[in-house]
Amino acid sequence: MQIGFVSAESGQGRAKNVRNILLKNSVNIMLCAVCWWAVGYAFAYGKTAGGLLGVSHFFSDGETFDSKPWFFTWAFCLSAVTIASGCLAERTHLFVYPVYTAVVSIVVHPVVAHWVWAPDSWLNSRIGCPCRFLDFAGGAVVHIVGGLTGLIGAILCGPRMGRFEDGVNKEIPGHDVSSVSLGSLMLWFGWFGFNCGSTYIYMADGGPAASAAVSRVALNMTLCASAAGMTSLVVASLQTGTFDLAVCCNGLMAGLSASTANVGFITPWASCITGILAGLLYVGCSRLLVRLGIDDPLDSSAIHCGSGLLGVVVSGFLARPAYVRSMVGRSCGGLVYGTRGGIQLGMQMLGLAVSIAWTAFWSVVTFVTLKRFNLLRVDQQTELAGIDNMEHGGPAYPEFLQRVQSSRTGF
Amino acid sequence: MQIGFVSAESGQGRAKNVRNILLKNSVNIMLCAVCWWAVGYAFAYGKTAGGLLGVSHFFSDGETFDSKPWFFTWAFCLSAVTIASGCLAERTHLFVYPVYTAVVSIVVHPVVAHWVWAPDSWLNSRIGCPCRFLDFAGGAVVHIVGGLTGLIGAILCGPRMGRFEDGVNKEIPGHDVSSVSLGSLMLWFGWFGFNCGSTYIYMADGGPAASAAVSRVALNMTLCASAAGMTSLVVASLQTGTFDLAVCCNGLMAGLSASTANVGFITPWASCITGILAGLLYVGCSRLLVRLGIDDPLDSSAIHCGSGLLGVVVSGFLARPAYVRSMVGRSCGGLVYGTRGGIQLGMQMLGLAVSIAWTAFWSVVTFVTLKRFNLLRVDQQTELAGIDNMEHGGPAYPEFLQRVQSSRTGF
Amino acid sequence: MQIGFVSAESGQGRAKNVRNILLKNSVNIMLCAVCWWAVGYAFAYGKTAGGLLGVSHFFSDGETFDSKPWFFTWAFCLSAVTIASGCLAERTHLFVYPVYTAVVSIVVHPVVAHWVWAPDSWLNSRIGCPCRFLDFAGGAVVHIVGGLTGLIGAILCGPRMGRFEDGVNKEIPGHDVSSVSLGSLMLWFGWFGFNCGSTYIYMADGGPAASAAVSRVALNMTLCASAAGMTSLVVASLQTGTFDLAVCCNGLMAGLSASTANVGFITPWASCITGILAGLLYVGCSRLLVRLGIDDPLDSSAIHCGSGLLGVVVSGFLARPAYVRSMVGRSCGGLVYGTRGGIQLGMQMLGLAVSIAWTAFWSVVTFVTLKRFNLLRVDQQTELAGIDNMEHGGPAYPEFLQRVQSSRTGF
């Protein structure tokens, strides 16, 4: 329990980045809670119907929560929603947030979670594969779902006004780099909750084996994040000549995302390698987004979708059979350990493919529908004046208005 | 243990609202710790003397803390103190804070806590009632005590200069809405500590029953807070036409306050209903304060006193007998379940009445005495110039002074 | 585990003080993690080689972490590094941070930790003393190591430009006193993690005795911090006539530092006395630094080194034999309890002397070497313009630059 709320608290860290998305994030949290209680939890963790979908425990019916506590699972769902919201900031219609939040927390995340984490889902037990798809704490279920939803939203929404004017890439800096940095560090430590908590769920009998596993998970995460943060910082500074705090923080986040899928299955050395790859991949993805003219204000898709992919693939190469056996009870492992490595790697690819396909399908449907009804983006006037002024304030709060303006010009 | 400090950490969230009460809040925390160690804990959780007052464990004497750990109980007392401090901000004499902190943490909160929570207090066992007063985690003991103390203080102190000038209601916006929002979210998650920790105290034998109860508590809180936040947001936006972040945050807080008294005793559906009522009640109370010309800078009394009342009353209607029995060992329940519902509802009313009477008595005595000695309010000159400049800074810190000024005018 | 990350999260609190050290602190964290994994943990907690140094578990080899979890021990090492970084802010070359971080986390902290905490180190078992050196949760190992390293760095680095111009003491106020205050409170509550977590390590068999000890530790810390904060506030206000928030916060920190070395070994009354002494000592040390012309922007050395010393000495006088026996298994105690008090006090002095000598030696070597190669301090031009502008920004981020400038002039 404990675990969940620190993680969720950390979710707020991102909220700091941009003041005018605070309300939207608050609404996301509240709506996601209701959706998750009503339907999402049931779809994800209820008794399976043919391996496709959970169909019990709607509205927390039956009151037994088995091994997966409601709050902890909600924190995962909320993370996916929050990751996506980062990509949509500063130009999206207020109506978009509740819509996509409902879609992600009712249809997208729960179904992927069921496929990936239910031991008796079609993916894990009905296709005759001796290995399970390995996603330790949500590399696919949270980070790819959230990052990809956000990426598709950002593409369909288009860039903010002035971001790529006349074909030139113009960075729009955040208003408070101190908040970004502190938020990232909070997220880092909140992440321990997700991964260490997941360890206890895999090893529910507890005891010294579970304690040792938690220690290893904490160490792996720390190394992966540190390696990724330092790698991005150094690589980016070689290109630009300056040390950029934001790149360092985002690299660190990328390292955490990359470690999420595999942190319990690999060794500390493998985590260092994963971290270095994640740092490089983040810098690359970030540049690719710019090259493609996609405006992701927080680089959320580069961080979460890119590294989520990497993390899942890493398990196919580096998962240590002894760890996999103790966690999920299958005698499988990554390619470098030889033990049926090809099968595990294939399984990772299959799981990735279906997660991506399901997420992409619903995101496209959602955002295209919103666009059709002209509900995706605020009008130009509102965007220029700032959404705060047009939708959340107005003449009723003159001092507040003044402050917002001054924070746009001066501060 | 764990639990307590996250809760307490969250207490700071409120501190962010207004910069010049940071020092006062720090002093409150420190003084409250000493008072609670010396006397408060003993009055509240010591061996009862005739059901009226605890009289053992002064200065942590005897070194045994039984089932109620010192730190956790201190966090409750501190919450009551902090809630009250919100109502007094920006115009109160520095001397007021230590005085009322001492009164609340020595006399008011401990006595109410003893009456409400000690199984052998006069209220719970000496009046021949088969039911106990139900206050799960401090709806009366913390929120009504804190909110009512603050309300009485705010009334006796009078509004800030310029708040109701010429009979017109002039909102005085906070200086940093981002802090308000993040503080609220932190409080939300800190609250899990209070409520889930309380569950373990009710069900000290632990085991799966306790785990299930903790899960239910976390779910109920989340639903109640979400429902309340969304309700206030929607209701207020219908009236004003804008979506106000502060209203949403305060509604959320009101939902949490309302859930505190009953979260372990009711079902998730009942929590949703409680949340909706709390959201409506908050908007109503907030308007009522303005109508009555009471200036509560943070709306603390509307949030905590109003919702605290609601939460206690809700138990009288909606408490589920099975939960009540498993928590407090009495075969009682709310009116809708029929099982001696009238008795339980009457008990709730009685408990409310004595909590309110005791709190009101001491608040009036304290603040009237302070007013008599002209120690309640800073003089006009200080209020206009800002308390920071007059009492905490001055010419020794020119840059700091400049910053404060600029934060008043520009930022 | 839990414990560690809240502590570490709190470490960020300090980071808020000064915006341009955020990157350096992030790098410190990441580099410290890698060093601690590779070598530091092994030197500190590995199997001892002649009582001088641990020599097993390099790169978390063997994968067994015994009773000391990696993450928790890393948080201690990181604290020492972070404390030192405070003293060096705003004038130090970017290159200094990785160098001293590596030295502290590879050579200084691990060796002192091994001497002080390994039961079979030369200090604790090979010099024929019936008592052990008592350092509950790092008074010497963390606070003296960090504070003294920082102090020596600050002396060798020299004051910031304009700090002591023409022999006059000119305070350079921080840019955001609200962050300082909230950071201190976060640190306070994070500290519970260190001390309560340490209690579980001393009393690994758990049970009610451990719970009672944790309760006592939490109470002692709270009282010591509260007494110290109020003492500094009152003493400083008697001298200056104003109530200074920063002094209160720093006094509180000093109380926490002072309690670290002894919190498990002394009574609540003794903690109050320790707190009062710590509050006085902090005000005195702070003035002494100014008198000596040493510029420590955050008063870190006054807080941590001074109070760390005090805390260790206090154990020699006030440690209660019953607590010492239950924690470390030796029948020793402080001077006031008579039980071989002189031996314990002598042991404390010996431990202090070797900790100080080892730390001072490496600090002098490190910073003198950096100075010789002219890598200690940024050039005058950079210092005047601000390190952010010269090394981290530049024309690529015009708006960001503008914001930094405005935050120097206005905000």
Side-chain angles (χ1 to χ4, degrees):
Chain A
M1 190 76 325
Q2 188 54 27
I3 299 154
F5 69 76
V6 184
S7 338
E9 193 187 320
S10 71
Q12 309 153 26
R14 302 306 307 244
K16 293 189 182 182
N17 302 3
V18 185
R19 179 176 299 179
N20 64 9
I21 67 165
L22 282 168
L23 176 61
K24 295 159 191 179
N25 273 344
S26 301
V27 172
N28 281 356
I29 294 174
M30 296 186 294
L31 186 64
C32 178
V34 174
C35 294
W36 190 246
W37 166 59
V39 185
Y41 183 89
F43 279 176
Y45 303 106
K47 285 203 183 67
T48 194
L52 289 172
L53 202 65
V55 291
S56 66
H57 295 309
F58 292 98
F59 295 99
S60 72
D61 182 44
E63 290 172 27
T64 56
F65 289 91
D66 304 299
S67 60
K68 291 269 192 179
W70 183 87
F71 188 81
F72 189 64
T73 60
W74 173 56
F76 279 94
C77 181
L78 187 55
S79 296
V81 169
T82 306
I83 288 167
S85 105
C87 305
L88 302 170
E90 292 194 287
R91 64 206 187 278
T92 316
H93 197 282
L94 200 57
F95 192 68
V96 171
Y97 293 90
V99 170
Y100 97 81
T101 296
V103 171
V104 169
S105 56
I106 290 176
V107 183
V108 186
H109 172 78
V111 170
V112 176
H114 192 78
W115 294 355
V116 168
W117 282 336
D120 52 359
S121 74
W122 68 268
L123 185 63
N124 285 324
S125 71
R126 313 211 175 185
I127 55 172
C129 178
C131 298
R132 262 183 70 170
F133 176 62
L134 297 176
D135 183 359
F136 188 76
V141 174
V142 173
H143 294 279
I144 293 180
V145 164
L148 187 60
T149 301
L151 176 63
I152 290 170
I155 293 172
L156 286 167
C157 207
R160 286 167 293 173
M161 290 169 68
R163 179 70 174 83
F164 297 110
E165 223 161 47
D166 311 325
V168 182
N169 169 29
K170 292 186 183 168
E171 296 270 358
I172 301 177
H175 81 288
D176 187 350
V177 79
S178 164
S179 284
V180 177
S181 168
L182 289 167
S184 300
L185 291 177
M186 275 188 226
L187 260 172
W188 186 356
F189 295 104
W191 224 296
F192 285 102
F194 278 117
N195 285 347
C196 297
S198 294
T199 312
Y200 282 115
I201 285 176
Y202 281 106
M203 309 184 80
D205 48 350
S211 295
V214 169
S215 261
R216 193 180 67 244
V217 162
L219 169 60
N220 283 356
M221 281 181 63
T222 310
L223 289 174
C224 189
S226 299
M230 290 194 284
T231 303
S232 332
L233 182 66
V234 169
V235 170
S237 77
L238 289 178
Q239 297 179 314
T240 63
T242 63
F243 293 101
D244 185 343
L245 179 58
V247 169
C248 176
C249 293
N250 285 344
L252 204 150
M253 289 295 102
L256 290 169
S257 300
S259 78
T260 301
N262 51 49
V263 70
F265 304 128
I266 67 176
T267 63
W269 281 106
S271 290
C272 287
I273 296 168
T274 308
I276 293 170
L277 293 175
L280 294 171
L281 185 67
Y282 162 66
V283 174
C285 284
S286 179
R287 260 145 232 275
L288 186 66
L289 284 178
V290 171
R291 191 73 48 92
L292 295 175
I294 299 167
D295 181 18
D296 178 351
L298 304 180
D299 259 359
S300 279
S301 54
I303 295 170
H304 296 280
C305 192
S307 298
L309 273 163
L310 172 68
V312 171
V313 173
V314 158
S315 286
F317 287 96
L318 298 173
R320 202 180 153 197
Y323 297 151
V324 174
R325 197 159 44 240
S326 72
M327 296 273 176
V328 303
R330 304 278 178 104
S331 296
C332 291
L335 209 56
V336 301
Y337 292 99
T339 323
R340 298 193 281 183
I343 300 175
Q344 184 64 58
L345 185 57
M347 192 66 186
Q348 298 301 100
M349 293 304 175
L350 175 62
L352 263 187
V354 298
S355 303
I356 289 173
W358 184 259
T359 306
F361 172 73
W362 284 101
S363 300
V364 170
V365 167
T366 307
F367 289 110
V368 165
T369 309
L370 283 165
K371 196 166 191 174
R372 172 99 7 134
F373 291 102
N374 211 15
L375 286 166
L376 188 54
R377 198 163 168 149
V378 297
D379 57 47
Q380 288 203 355
Q381 195 195 350
T382 305
E383 191 175 345
L384 278 177
I387 306 175
D388 278 11
N389 293 342
M390 300 303 282
E391 293 186 28
H392 307 301
Y397 301 95
E399 268 191 276
F400 178 70
L401 197 70
Q402 184 187 14
R403 185 163 63 77
V404 170
Q405 283 173 335
S406 82
S407 88
R408 299 217 166 212
T409 55
F411 171 68
Chain B
M1 190 74 328
Q2 187 54 29
I3 297 153
F5 70 78
V6 185
S7 339
E9 193 186 321
S10 71
Q12 311 153 24
R14 304 305 306 242
K16 295 188 181 185
N17 302 2
V18 185
R19 179 176 298 178
N20 63 9
I21 66 165
L22 282 168
L23 176 61
K24 295 158 190 181
N25 273 345
S26 301
V27 171
N28 281 357
I29 295 174
M30 296 187 292
L31 186 64
C32 179
V34 174
C35 294
W36 190 247
W37 166 60
V39 185
Y41 183 90
F43 279 176
Y45 303 107
K47 286 202 182 68
T48 194
L52 289 172
L53 202 67
V55 290
S56 65
H57 296 310
F58 292 98
F59 294 100
S60 73
D61 183 43
E63 290 171 28
T64 56
F65 289 91
D66 304 299
S67 61
K68 292 269 192 180
W70 184 87
F71 188 80
F72 189 64
T73 61
W74 172 56
F76 279 94
C77 180
L78 186 55
S79 297
V81 169
T82 306
I83 288 167
S85 105
C87 305
L88 302 170
E90 293 194 285
R91 62 207 188 276
T92 317
H93 197 282
L94 199 58
F95 192 68
V96 170
Y97 293 90
V99 170
Y100 97 82
T101 296
V103 171
V104 169
S105 56
I106 290 175
V107 182
V108 185
H109 171 78
V111 170
V112 176
H114 191 78
W115 294 354
V116 168
W117 282 337
D120 53 0
S121 74
W122 69 267
L123 185 63
N124 285 325
S125 72
R126 313 213 174 184
I127 56 174
C129 177
C131 297
R132 262 183 71 169
F133 177 62
L134 297 177
D135 183 0
F136 188 76
V141 174
V142 173
H143 294 280
I144 294 181
V145 165
L148 188 59
T149 301
L151 178 62
I152 291 171
I155 293 172
L156 286 168
C157 208
R160 285 167 294 173
M161 291 169 70
R163 179 71 174 83
F164 295 112
E165 223 161 48
D166 311 325
V168 182
N169 169 29
K170 292 186 180 165
E171 295 270 357
I172 300 178
H175 81 288
D176 187 350
V177 80
S178 164
S179 284
V180 177
S181 168
L182 289 167
S184 300
L185 291 177
M186 276 189 226
L187 259 171
W188 187 356
F189 295 103
W191 223 297
F192 285 103
F194 278 117
N195 285 349
C196 297
S198 294
T199 313
Y200 282 115
I201 284 175
Y202 282 106
M203 310 185 79
D205 49 350
S211 296
V214 168
S215 263
R216 193 180 66 243
V217 163
L219 170 60
N220 283 356
M221 280 181 64
T222 310
L223 289 174
C224 189
S226 300
M230 289 194 286
T231 304
S232 334
L233 182 67
V234 169
V235 170
S237 77
L238 289 178
Q239 297 178 316
T240 63
T242 62
F243 294 99
D244 186 342
L245 179 57
V247 169
C248 176
C249 293
N250 286 343
L252 205 150
M253 290 294 103
L256 290 170
S257 300
S259 79
T260 301
N262 52 48
V263 70
F265 304 128
I266 68 177
T267 64
W269 281 105
S271 291
C272 286
I273 296 168
T274 309
I276 292 169
L277 293 174
L280 294 171
L281 185 67
Y282 162 67
V283 174
C285 285
S286 179
R287 260 143 231 276
L288 186 65
L289 284 178
V290 171
R291 191 74 48 92
L292 295 175
I294 298 167
D295 181 19
D296 178 349
L298 304 181
D299 259 358
S300 278
S301 53
I303 295 169
H304 296 281
C305 193
S307 298
L309 273 163
L310 173 68
V312 170
V313 174
V314 159
S315 285
F317 287 94
L318 298 173
R320 200 179 155 200
Y323 296 152
V324 174
R325 197 159 45 240
S326 73
M327 295 274 176
V328 302
R330 304 277 178 105
S331 297
C332 292
L335 209 56
V336 302
Y337 291 99
T339 323
R340 299 194 279 185
I343 300 175
Q344 183 66 57
L345 186 56
M347 192 65 188
Q348 297 302 100
M349 294 304 176
L350 175 62
L352 263 187
V354 297
S355 303
I356 289 173
W358 184 259
T359 307
F361 171 72
W362 284 101
S363 299
V364 171
V365 167
T366 306
F367 289 111
V368 165
T369 309
L370 282 166
K371 197 166 191 173
R372 171 99 7 133
F373 290 102
N374 210 16
L375 284 168
L376 188 53
R377 198 163 168 148
V378 296
D379 57 47
Q380 288 204 354
Q381 194 195 349
T382 304
E383 192 175 344
L384 278 177
I387 307 176
D388 277 11
N389 292 342
M390 300 303 282
E391 292 185 29
H392 307 300
Y397 301 96
E399 267 189 278
F400 180 70
L401 197 71
Q402 184 186 14
R403 185 163 64 77
V404 170
Q405 283 172 337
S406 82
S407 88
R408 301 221 162 206
T409 55
F411 171 62
Chain C
M1 190 75 325
Q2 188 55 28
I3 298 153
F5 70 79
V6 185
S7 340
E9 194 186 321
S10 71
Q12 309 153 27
R14 305 303 307 242
K16 294 187 182 182
N17 302 4
V18 184
R19 180 176 298 179
N20 63 11
I21 66 164
L22 282 168
L23 176 61
K24 296 159 191 182
N25 272 345
S26 300
V27 171
N28 281 356
I29 294 174
M30 297 186 293
L31 186 64
C32 179
V34 174
C35 294
W36 189 247
W37 166 60
V39 184
Y41 183 89
F43 279 177
Y45 303 106
K47 285 203 183 68
T48 195
L52 290 172
L53 202 67
V55 290
S56 65
H57 295 308
F58 292 98
F59 294 98
S60 72
D61 183 43
E63 290 172 30
T64 56
F65 289 91
D66 304 300
S67 60
K68 292 269 192 179
W70 183 87
F71 188 80
F72 189 64
T73 59
W74 173 56
F76 279 93
C77 180
L78 187 55
S79 297
V81 168
T82 306
I83 288 167
S85 106
C87 305
L88 302 170
E90 292 196 285
R91 64 206 189 276
T92 316
H93 198 281
L94 200 58
F95 192 69
V96 170
Y97 293 89
V99 170
Y100 97 80
T101 296
V103 170
V104 169
S105 57
I106 291 175
V107 181
V108 185
H109 172 79
V111 170
V112 176
H114 191 77
W115 294 354
V116 169
W117 283 336
D120 52 0
S121 74
W122 69 267
L123 185 63
N124 285 324
S125 72
R126 314 212 174 184
I127 55 172
C129 178
C131 298
R132 263 183 69 171
F133 176 62
L134 297 177
D135 182 1
F136 188 74
V141 174
V142 173
H143 294 281
I144 293 181
V145 164
L148 187 59
T149 301
L151 177 62
I152 291 170
I155 293 173
L156 286 169
C157 208
R160 287 167 293 173
M161 290 169 69
R163 179 70 174 85
F164 295 113
E165 224 162 45
D166 311 325
V168 182
N169 169 29
K170 291 186 181 166
E171 295 269 358
I172 301 177
H175 81 288
D176 188 349
V177 79
S178 165
S179 284
V180 177
S181 169
L182 289 168
S184 300
L185 291 176
M186 276 189 225
L187 259 170
W188 186 356
F189 295 104
W191 223 295
F192 284 102
F194 278 116
N195 285 349
C196 297
S198 294
T199 313
Y200 282 116
I201 285 175
Y202 281 106
M203 309 184 79
D205 48 349
S211 295
V214 169
S215 263
R216 193 179 67 242
V217 163
L219 171 60
N220 283 356
M221 280 181 63
T222 309
L223 290 174
C224 188
S226 299
M230 290 194 285
T231 303
S232 331
L233 183 65
V234 169
V235 170
S237 77
L238 290 178
Q239 297 179 316
T240 63
T242 62
F243 293 99
D244 185 342
L245 179 57
V247 168
C248 177
C249 293
N250 285 343
L252 205 150
M253 289 295 104
L256 290 170
S257 300
S259 79
T260 301
N262 51 49
V263 70
F265 304 128
I266 68 176
T267 64
W269 282 105
S271 291
C272 286
I273 296 168
T274 307
I276 294 170
L277 292 175
L280 294 171
L281 185 66
Y282 162 67
V283 174
C285 284
S286 180
R287 260 143 232 276
L288 186 65
L289 283 179
V290 171
R291 191 74 50 92
L292 295 175
I294 299 167
D295 180 19
D296 178 350
L298 305 180
D299 260 358
S300 278
S301 53
I303 295 169
H304 296 280
C305 192
S307 297
L309 272 164
L310 173 68
V312 170
V313 173
V314 159
S315 285
F317 286 95
L318 298 173
R320 200 178 156 200
Y323 296 151
V324 174
R325 196 158 46 239
S326 73
M327 296 273 178
V328 303
R330 305 276 178 104
S331 297
C332 292
L335 209 57
V336 301
Y337 291 98
T339 322
R340 298 194 280 184
I343 300 175
Q344 184 65 58
L345 186 57
M347 193 65 188
Q348 297 301 100
M349 294 305 176
L350 176 62
L352 263 187
V354 298
S355 302
I356 290 173
W358 183 259
T359 306
F361 172 72
W362 284 100
S363 300
V364 170
V365 167
T366 306
F367 290 110
V368 164
T369 309
L370 283 166
K371 197 165 191 173
R372 170 101 6 134
F373 290 102
N374 211 14
L375 285 167
L376 188 54
R377 197 162 169 150
V378 296
D379 57 49
Q380 287 204 356
Q381 195 195 349
T382 305
E383 191 174 345
L384 278 177
I387 308 176
D388 278 11
N389 292 343
M390 299 303 282
E391 292 184 28
H392 307 299
Y397 300 94
E399 268 191 274
F400 179 69
L401 197 70
Q402 186 186 14
R403 185 165 62 77
V404 170
Q405 283 173 338
S406 82
S407 87
R408 300 219 163 208
T409 54
F411 173 67

